Amino acid sequence: MKRLSILVVLTLIVMGVSAQKTDVVNNGYPIGQVPFTAVKIMPNTFWGQRIKAAREVTIPLAFSKCESEHRYKNFEMAAYTLQHPGHPGLETAEWDVAKFMGFSFDDTDVYKTIEGASYVLQTYPDKRLKNYIDSVLDIVAAAQESDGYLYTARTINPNHPHGWAGKHRWERVEVLSHELYNLGHMVDAACAHYQATGSDKFLNIAKRYADCVIREVGPNPGQACVVPGHQIAEMALARLYVLTGEKKYLDQAKFFLDMRGKTTIHDIYSQSDKPILEQKEAWGHAVRAGYMYSGIADVAALTGDKDYVRTIDAIWQNIVGRKYYITGGVGARHSGESFGADYELPNLTAYNETCAAIAMVYLFYRMFLLHGEAKYIDCLERTLYNGVISGMSIDGGRFFYPNPLSADGKYMFNADNTNTRQPWFGCACCPSNLCRFIPSLPGYMYAVHHGGKDAYCPSIYVNLFAGSTATMQVNGKKVELEQQTNYPWNGDVAIRVKANQAGLFTMKVRIPGWVHGEVVPTDLYTYADNEKLGYTVNINGQQITKDGSAPAIDKDGYVSLTRKWKKGDVVNVHFDMKVRTVKAHRRVAADHGKLSVERGPLVYCAEAVDNTGMDIFNFLLTGNPGFQVIDNPTLVGGIQQITANGQVLDYDSNGKVKVCDAVIKLIPYYAWNHRGAGKMQVWLTNQIINNN
């Protein structure tokens, strides 16, 4: 099968808006997600720029890497073996899978890139891109065995499969084979492709593999009683159940979770050391954990299992209360790419894998859908603006695997022993994950609660702030909203009702935790200054309260505005944005005597390239830093810098310590390392801080 040249994709200039699918996702949660198909991010906005970079650079780059790095070739070789069983090449070095397939999960690079391209197609339809994806799916389908099994690491050469695969299906799935991990990414991508295009071409491939797994993996005689070594199949199968209504997929997801810790492998690295209902804190590989926790939330919502809810509540509390970086990242240790102990949050050696941050977004959003509280979106926002987008360069073409909070220009923190952004990685999970995540951002902006017997009227949750339009269904009736804002650079948001057939509903506008003095919804971080931020909300220019004060925040973290909305109604929201300083809990040893700086949802850092003539590691933030905010539209894609007063320790000509007044420049954390390797620091030393 001939594929369209990747050059076609690389040179696409795609425009226009496709037909929208506006139904709210009925996913078993009390609150329904407004899907990515219903929300369009405006170009030339903060998120519009990032989606453009993913569309024009990251996704085409990933497709080109699938060609150049043998990803498509793997499927073609598997197809050839299926068409020519026992062919002579199987006994030659050329067909020794271990020699050309780096990882047993290389197939997922293809799936994740198709998923990201599918999200893009919804907003920027292009026939050439769609045809390219179809041609790739032809190659994928040809590699699928007759019973639905699709795992090129084995099918290419069943007698000499990849070294991680094992001699037989599923025998090493709890350790290294990644057969079920591949299934998870395939299903996620196929669901997104179906939602975006209406084509069931990929969905049918994924369902056949899922059906194969259901037949062969389970508790019954003749089945392999195993669970995924690298989780994601759980949340993907739950998604497939929601899309198809076929309960067997939900049952399989619950089987994988119920059996965890009860099979032959007991390993904290893969969260299989004990049954999930006995797990109360986050341990082990942070990406695997985040995916599994998201799956627990999905199954809890879809089955109503209260024990699952209690489990995921406890784990979430442990993460955000003791194992969560100020940038929203997780995974303190390079060893095992894993969570550390409580309050173990080193800066220079922090791992904070980009994939782990993405997994946290998945988890936080599910916790919101489960409980309806803004604190979960507060965490999502922190991770999104700091821990996730730091992993991709502004232009979409270079990447981080880990995301440390300090750099000395020497420590090799990347997975490939580098300390600067890389154009790709041998283990490409982070770039390909960004391919699929960034274009999916529209799906996290809104949610709907349709009401019911215990609710006064339906509600629309406005969770994230970005220039956009959204068309959603509220009890089957169309509501269209438009946001205009320059968030996160300022706190002004205008929400216009473009159409409303639903009549009475409540618009619930999130008031971010950073506005009302909450860094995170635990005591892990607190503000160190005495600044007080305010907010205002009005409708059509009119005050809402009789005395003109800001409307009260509900216990769930929202301002609730209930009325029969008319076309043209405008809600204007203003959040004060001041520079704030933050201190860590006294048990976080790495941050004793230090402060971090943030403004709005953005965490800032000092980078050596902006502070020549000064060692930023020797800078002391004074008690009155006199912060100044400076627009710099030409620096790293256009940012706001912050300056702060302080002092620098140095040596005089006699070798004695001297103290010099200094002004330090700070940039948003996500923007660092765009100008080469060098020193960087999030937590700045402060001479008067008291961590007691």
Side-chain angles (χ1 to χ4, degrees):
M1 178 69 189
K2 290 185 178 180
R3 296 186 302 273
L4 293 179
S5 169
I6 192 62
L7 293 176
V8 173
V9 180
L10 288 168
T11 57
L12 289 178
I13 301 176
V14 288
M15 299 179 296
V17 178
S18 68
Q20 297 180 359
K21 297 178 182 179
T22 57
D23 291 341
V24 173
V25 175
N26 181 17
N27 53 9
Y29 287 93
I31 297 168
Q33 179 181 13
V34 175
F36 72 93
T37 51
V39 183
K40 311 300 176 189
I41 302 295
M42 295 177 182
N44 302 318
T45 60
F46 185 89
W47 285 107
Q49 291 172 346
R50 276 139 194 87
I51 293 174
K52 179 181 179 183
R55 171 173 61 94
E56 295 184 353
V57 178
T58 315
I59 291 171
L61 173 62
F63 275 135
S64 72
K65 290 293 184 180
C66 287
E67 289 196 354
S68 65
E69 303 305 311
H70 212 279
R71 303 299 190 260
Y72 295 150
K73 187 68 173 177
N74 290 339
F75 289 93
E76 291 169 340
M77 293 177 73
Y80 185 87
T81 295
L82 292 176
Q83 295 159 10
H84 306 86
H87 63 86
L90 296 177
E91 300 306 321
T92 67
E94 182 183 356
W95 286 78
D96 185 344
V97 181
K99 294 186 183 300
F100 57 79
M101 183 182 287
F103 298 97
S104 58
F105 49 83
D106 280 353
D107 291 357
T108 64
D109 291 342
V110 176
Y111 305 148
K112 286 183 279 186
T113 307
I114 291 175
E115 183 177 353
S118 298
Y119 293 129
V120 164
L121 273 176
Q122 173 60 29
T123 305
Y124 300 96
D126 186 274
K127 188 175 181 179
R128 291 169 296 178
L129 178 57
K130 183 177 182 297
N131 288 342
Y132 180 84
I133 294 172
D134 282 347
S135 74
V136 173
L137 291 177
D138 288 337
I139 298 165
V140 171
Q144 188 162 34
E145 298 188 20
S146 60
D147 63 355
Y149 186 75
L150 211 174
Y151 178 63
T152 68
R154 181 184 312 284
T155 305
I156 288 171
N157 194 338
N159 295 325
H160 303 283
H162 189 281
W164 290 2
K167 293 182 178 180
H168 307 286
R169 293 182 183 184
W170 323 120
E171 73 175 21
R172 301 202 70 195
V173 76
E174 295 190 3
V175 185
L176 290 170
S177 80
H178 289 80
E179 285 156 286
L180 296 176
Y181 174 76
N182 285 16
L183 167 73
H185 275 301
M186 181 196 298
V187 168
D188 260 343
C191 290
H193 182 259
Y194 174 78
Q195 286 180 274
T197 67
S199 168
D200 61 5
K201 185 172 185 176
F202 197 7
L203 186 64
N204 287 336
I205 297 169
K207 286 179 63 178
R208 289 188 65 217
Y209 190 21
D211 291 344
C212 172
V213 169
I214 290 170
R215 286 193 305 271
E216 297 190 2
V217 180
N220 301 316
Q223 290 184 305
C225 190
V226 294
V227 297
H230 193 312
Q231 302 91 308
I232 195 175
E234 301 88 344
M235 56 191 287
L237 288 167
R239 182 177 183 179
L240 187 59
Y241 161 67
V242 170
L243 187 67
T244 66
E246 297 184 50
K247 190 171 180 292
K248 60 184 177 180
Y249 301 124
L250 175 61
D251 292 341
Q252 191 70 17
K254 193 170 190 300
F255 164 77
F256 285 149
L257 292 170
D258 285 345
M259 287 303 298
R260 197 151 209 93
K262 301 175 184 178
T263 61
T264 56
I265 301 296
H266 299 150
D267 189 353
I268 201 169
Y269 170 77
S270 57
Q271 298 77 40
S272 60
D273 57 312
K274 62 181 70 172
I276 63 165
L277 295 185
E278 298 177 19
Q279 297 187 29
K280 304 301 180 186
E281 59 180 315
W283 276 111
H285 190 274
V287 181
R288 297 168 196 244
Y291 289 162
M292 187 182 81
Y293 302 152
S294 297
I296 293 173
D298 282 340
V299 173
L302 289 165
T303 64
D305 192 315
K306 293 182 179 179
D307 289 334
Y308 269 41
V309 175
R310 283 190 286 270
T311 293
I312 198 58
D313 284 348
I315 290 171
W316 178 84
Q317 187 68 34
N318 176 253
I319 292 172
V320 177
R322 302 186 177 190
K323 299 185 178 183
Y324 189 53
Y325 278 91
I326 191 67
T327 56
V330 294
R333 298 176 181 175
H334 279 244
S335 175
E337 301 176 330
S338 63
F339 286 99
D342 288 353
Y343 304 106
E344 180 188 342
L345 296 166
N347 295 310
L348 181 67
T349 61
Y351 200 67
N352 284 346
E353 185 180 340
T354 299
C355 287
I358 291 172
M360 286 301 104
V361 172
Y362 294 151
L363 173 61
F364 295 151
Y365 194 71
R366 284 161 168 78
M367 297 300 292
F368 158 74
L369 294 177
L370 201 58
H371 296 298
E373 295 180 49
K375 66 182 182 180
Y376 302 110
I377 303 296
D378 289 343
C379 293
L380 184 154
E381 182 180 67
R382 177 171 295 277
T383 299
L384 187 64
Y385 278 94
N386 304 288
V388 171
I389 62 173
S390 59
M392 186 176 88
S393 63
I394 299 299
D395 64 6
R398 299 179 74 84
F399 309 95
F400 274 151
Y401 201 113
N403 294 272
L405 277 73
S406 178
D408 59 9
K410 299 176 182 178
Y411 178 72
M412 302 300 184
F413 54 82
N414 255 325
D416 59 348
N417 293 321
T418 62
N419 56 14
T420 190
R421 296 180 184 274
Q422 295 298 298
W424 206 252
F425 300 102
C427 176
C429 58
C430 293
S432 57
N433 227 358
L434 287 162
C435 280
R436 77 185 186 118
F437 178 79
I438 296 297
S440 76
L441 180 279
Y444 297 95
M445 289 190 59
Y446 294 95
V448 171
H449 188 286
H450 289 295
K453 64 179 181 179
D454 298 323
Y456 171 55
C457 66
S459 299
I460 295 176
Y461 291 80
V462 182
N463 281 326
L464 298 179
F465 309 107
S468 59
T469 59
T471 304
M472 62 200 80
Q473 299 288 329
V474 178
N475 286 333
K477 297 181 179 180
K478 176 182 173 181
V479 175
E480 185 176 353
L481 302 179
E482 176 187 82
Q483 276 194 46
Q484 293 184 339
T485 181
N486 197 30
Y487 195 91
W489 306 122
N490 69 44
D492 295 318
V493 183
I495 307 166
R496 181 181 299 274
V497 179
K498 302 266 293 187
N500 177 28
Q501 298 174 357
L504 182 75
F505 68 84
T506 299
M507 186 184 299
K508 296 178 74 70
V509 180
R510 180 176 65 96
I511 308 300
W514 56 262
V515 174
H516 52 83
E518 188 175 79
V519 183
V520 293
T522 66
D523 65 354
L524 184 58
Y525 302 105
T526 54
Y527 287 113
D529 54 47
N530 295 316
E531 295 283 0
K532 301 294 183 183
L533 274 60
Y535 65 94
T536 60
V537 182
N538 65 59
I539 301 175
N540 299 328
Q542 301 297 313
Q543 298 289 341
I544 297 172
T545 59
K546 291 182 179 180
D547 62 1
S549 61
I553 302 174
D554 298 341
K555 64 179 181 179
D556 58 5
Y558 293 84
V559 164
S560 296
L561 310 172
T562 303
R563 60 188 278 151
K564 290 185 178 180
W565 297 91
K566 297 179 296 183
K567 179 180 179 180
D569 283 346
V570 179
V571 177
N572 287 105
V573 183
H574 169 78
F575 306 128
D576 289 346
M577 274 197 178
K578 296 182 180 180
V579 182
R580 305 295 304 271
T581 53
V582 176
K583 64 180 179 180
H585 192 282
R586 60 183 176 80
R587 292 181 65 183
V588 182
D591 299 332
H592 282 177
K594 297 179 180 180
L595 296 175
S596 68
V597 176
E598 58 185 51
R599 181 174 182 269
L602 297 176
V603 174
Y604 277 70
C605 68
E607 194 172 13
V609 68
D610 297 310
N611 296 281
T612 55
M614 176 199 311
D615 187 339
I616 61 172
F617 283 13
N618 293 337
F619 179 82
L620 302 174
L621 194 66
T622 62
N624 183 21
F627 292 118
Q628 297 289 324
V629 179
I630 303 169
D631 285 322
N632 197 327
T634 62
L635 186 62
V636 285
I639 62 169
Q640 289 180 340
Q641 285 183 293
I642 293 173
T643 63
N645 299 323
Q647 296 174 319
V648 172
L649 299 178
D650 205 348
Y651 295 99
D652 63 18
S653 57
N654 296 318
K656 294 184 178 180
V657 174
K658 65 177 181 178
V659 180
C660 303
D661 291 338
V663 175
I664 198 167
K665 294 180 180 178
L666 309 174
I667 64 171
Y669 171 76
Y670 75 78
W672 85 279
N673 202 279
H674 278 78
R675 295 162 288 174
K679 291 185 177 181
M680 181 275 294
Q681 193 85 305
V682 168
W683 289 94
L684 304 177
T685 302
N686 175 261
Q687 61 244 49
I688 62 169
I689 188 171
N690 183 349
N691 276 85
N692 295 324

